[in-house]
Amino acid sequence: MTDPATGAYTVTLLDNVLHAGGPNDENAIDPTTSLTYTITDADNSSATGTLTITFDDDGPSVTIAAASTVKVALDETATSSGVATIDTGAIVKGNDPDVSGSGYISTATSVGALVTVNALFGADGAAASGSTVYALTVTNANSGLTLTDGSAISLQLVNGAVVGVVSGGTFNGQAAFAISINATTGAVTVEQYLSLDHPAEATAGNGFNSYDETLALANGSLGVTVTVKDGDNDTATSNTADVSSQITFDDDGPSVTIAAASTVKVALDETATSSGVATIDTGAIVKGNDPDVSGSGYISTATSVGALVTVNALFGADGAAASGSTVYALTVTNANSGLTLTDGSAISLQLVNGAVVGVVSGGTFNGQAAFAISINATTGAVTVEQYLSLDHPAEATAGNGFNSYDETLALANGSLGVTVTVKDGDNDTASSNTADVSSQITFDDDGPSVTIAAASTVKVALDETATSSGVATIDTGAIVKGNDPDVSGSGYISTATASERW
């Protein structure tokens, strides 16, 4: 009582008063206390009454905002799957056919909550447990994402998790990814089960590399809410914060390495009696026409049985492209072929329309093609056409039995290479190292051949009738030529020469 004369009073609350759980400011059940008071007038008449004091409840409040720097960043690069833990209910998790095993192909968890929380609990303070509870919500079912095969993905709330469900295609109705939230800490976990389409193509502008292209959920599709509870179990729920852009999926990309398959060769042999129809495009470079082989075209040709290189390619979660996933190409790594024509003219290598042309420098065939090399872009098989004969410098000697017909030449080491470019399911590309295949292109020498038969009608007919000798010209070496005593002089007593070859 602050003034007994007027009845003025003050109530001071020294601690919070427990209110029954329920809606905030539950006035109908607010706790009260009653005080009895007595009023006495001037002639000492008195009356008593009751003063009821009501303790109105307060309640918590909360607002949140997206913590834009906190993200859940996934990367599709995976060689095997991990064990999935998010509950997707009746929705079957997709199983990516391009990653071994089953489960997630990528997963990540945020470091902390995706939102900042501004909560007021009032005099009641925060509840002893469950004072701050985070939850996910779907604010727009359109995720803005598609699978690598183009199938759309929509968002569904399932048992508190948000599931990206495929519409159409091979994985229709299955989960492409799932998002869960730790109700206590707000940390968000994402598991990805199927590869997504990252539409940016590899171009010159990005160095033919768009591997790390990043996708996010469509703005306004995924939200977080926070519910707070105070000491007497009053609750308040926040606004919805849009966290769509904080869930990101990085692309993976293919990779490839190659090595020369040294046992696979393209072996040509110059032995030819007539030319064949040339098919390799040498552009503006005229194909040489060997004057010692009838007709025009190639004098020898050969094709490898398969590629000259072995390929180790990884396509990742996106898998290989439906077409053009592996493309072989030739490259000139040193223009000096190391070869010359039979007349000694040097041959240099030039890349023309994807083929490698051996171009003559000097001599009768200057500027013409001595040979050409092409590659099947799909299989890697290599074809060589030879138009002019090459110089095989090894001479016939006693050491090789006077036979160097099958002397083999190859392109100079480090002159001819093969590269391979691979493309994955969303058209990312990668190019291999260059494998040196120079030694796998070989040219065997040809050689002369001869057979003879007696030409019986062609004769050398001598007649001994002679009165004097003639001057002998055949060299008999150390053997002394006889001197017929019955013919005057010395030398031959008769001579004759066949009128034609045998």
Side-chain angles (χ1 to χ4, degrees), residues 199-217:
E201 302 289 336
T203 66
N206 56 33
F208 296 98
N209 183 340
S210 64
Y211 304 173
D212 290 325
E213 180 190 355
T214 299
L215 299 178
L217 292 173

Side-chain angles (χ1 to χ4, degrees), residues 394-405:
E395 301 293 335
T397 64
N400 57 32
F402 297 99
N403 184 341
S404 64
Y405 301 172

Side-chain angles (χ1 to χ4, degrees), residues 116-214:
T116 56
V117 180
N118 180 20
L120 298 174
F121 292 96
D124 292 325
S129 63
S131 62
T132 304
V133 177
Y134 297 81
L136 295 172
T137 182
V138 174
T139 48
N140 185 334
N142 182 5
S143 72
L145 303 177
T146 62
L147 293 189
T148 300
D149 68 8
S151 300
I153 301 170
S154 60
L155 303 181
Q156 294 183 28
L157 192 63
V158 179
N159 300 328
V162 172
V163 182
V165 183
V166 180
S167 298
T170 304
F171 303 99
N172 183 53
Q174 296 183 29
F177 56 82
I179 308 169
S180 67
I181 194 167
N182 184 306
T184 303
T185 66
V188 170
T189 295
V190 182
E191 292 177 348
Q192 181 180 356
Y193 313 119
L194 298 170
S195 65
L196 303 181
D197 180 37
H198 293 72
E201 302 289 336
T203 66
N206 56 33
F208 296 98
N209 183 340
S210 64
Y211 304 173
D212 290 325
E213 180 190 355
T214 299

Side-chain angles (χ1 to χ4, degrees), residues 45 58 73 140 152 164 207 236 303 321 326 349 354 360 379-380 386 401 414 428 461:
S45 297
D58 67 345
N140 185 334
T303 299
T326 303
L349 302 182
V360 180
T379 66
Q386 181 180 354
D428 296 321

Side-chain angles (χ1 to χ4, degrees), residues 472 474-483 490:
I474 297 175
D475 180 10
T476 56
I479 301 172
V480 177
K481 297 175 178 71
N483 188 6
S490 61

